[in-house]
Amino acid sequence: MKLPDECCNLGDIRCEIDRLDSEIIKLLGHRLAYVLAAAQFKKSEEDIPAPERVKAMLADRRVWAREAGLSEDFIENLFEQITSWYIATQIEHWQKTRGQVKGASHG
């Protein structure tokens, strides 16, 4: 790992950006694991979107963006996209896992 001011050329910069992007993707995967685990605590599919939680979460992300010197609007938009996809994925997971449980009880 090189700090930005330690990079000697564009190749070094690109290598570090690729390394960071790889870490971000791995972290998104870890986050997804928690999102899917949360499905077990949802009583119904309608509980999954949790709009009040999303609203509070996005407000927190705006604060964190400001503290990090990043655009609050960009980070909010990014997390809206992330959250939207995770909600859809959690709904799909909830339907599959609850469907298996229901199907097993009829068998």
Side-chain angles (χ1 to χ4, degrees):
M1 183 177 118
K2 290 183 179 182
L3 295 174
D5 61 353
E6 295 172 342
C7 293
C8 299
N9 56 50
L10 194 53
D12 286 351
I13 297 284
R14 289 178 176 159
C15 182
E16 291 304 314
I17 289 172
D18 289 348
R19 183 186 59 74
L20 288 169
D21 287 351
S22 176
E23 287 182 37
I24 290 167
I25 291 168
K26 287 175 189 171
L27 289 171
L28 289 169
H30 291 303
R31 189 182 193 281
L32 178 60
Y34 285 101
V35 168
L36 295 180
Q40 68 186 311
F41 301 106
K42 305 291 176 106
K43 294 177 184 170
S44 72
E45 185 179 325
E46 291 76 29
D47 291 338
I48 292 173
E52 291 304 313
R53 161 66 181 146
V54 171
K55 184 178 175 182
M57 184 266 305
L58 291 174
D60 287 342
R61 297 328 177 253
R62 288 184 70 84
V63 170
W64 299 346
R66 184 172 48 249
E67 290 171 349
L70 297 171
S71 165
E72 295 173 48
D73 291 340
F74 169 74
I75 294 299
E76 182 177 11
N77 290 334
L78 177 63
F79 274 90
E80 282 176 341
Q81 289 182 1
I82 289 169
T83 303
S84 177
W85 184 80
Y86 280 149
I87 288 169
T89 303
Q90 188 183 70
I91 289 170
E92 182 179 320
H93 176 75
W94 193 92
Q95 290 171 342
K96 285 179 184 176
T97 57
R98 297 296 167 110
Q100 290 173 356
V101 171
K102 288 178 185 173
S105 66
H106 295 298

